[in-house]
Amino acid sequence: MTQFGIFGVGDISPDPTTGYTQSEAERITDLIDDALLTQAGVSRPVARLEQRGLVERRPDPDDARAYRLFLAADGHEVQWRLGRTHARHVTAAMTRALAPEQLHTLRELMRALVAATPATQPPPPPTPRKHP
């Protein structure tokens, strides 16, 4: 899942022509798969995000029939703000629910998971789609 999930790790080298990284691009069909929603259930919210200037739709270089979505500058700002708010809520919930020694154990487990995860992962290959 990418930044739309909203947000994963992929190729971190920006494309010199766009300034965006590959991990910032998502096909609507991939969002549908990730969110387990119908096309209409994803397309309408994406259209609203596009109208608000939070995402941009660009041609897919791998499939002339498709588009990829990118977070626009304002979209990055909203993502950052929401991420910080979410992190504060998660921290508050955990510190209320867990004893200090449990938090220490959780911290060590999370560090082990992070250490075992590659820093970057190549984006998954495009999902072939049948068009009627």
Side-chain angles (χ1 to χ4, degrees), residues 32-111:
I32 291 166
D33 293 343
D34 289 345
L36 301 176
L37 294 171
T38 64
Q39 183 167 353
V42 171
S43 295
R44 279 179 259 175
V46 165
R48 286 194 298 269
L49 292 171
E50 190 175 17
Q51 289 170 349
R52 292 177 57 197
L54 300 176
V55 299
E56 298 172 5
R57 191 182 305 236
R58 297 185 177 185
D60 185 336
D62 300 325
D63 184 348
R65 301 165 297 178
Y67 289 91
R68 289 191 182 260
L69 298 171
F70 294 84
L71 283 175
D74 288 348
H76 283 285
E77 174 62 30
V78 169
Q79 175 197 350
W80 184 82
R81 232 180 29 249
L82 290 174
R84 287 183 52 89
T85 300
H86 177 70
R88 283 194 300 271
H89 288 288
V90 169
T91 299
M94 288 184 170
T95 54
R96 276 194 313 269
L98 300 175
E101 57 275 357
Q102 291 172 312
L103 287 169
H104 176 75
T105 300
L106 180 59
R107 185 177 303 112
E108 294 303 313
L109 290 170
M110 295 305 294
R111 286 181 178 154

Side-chain angles (χ1 to χ4, degrees), residues 3-16:
Q3 291 190 19
F4 294 95
I6 48 181
F7 304 32
V9 177
D11 175 12
I12 59 171
S13 302
D15 178 326

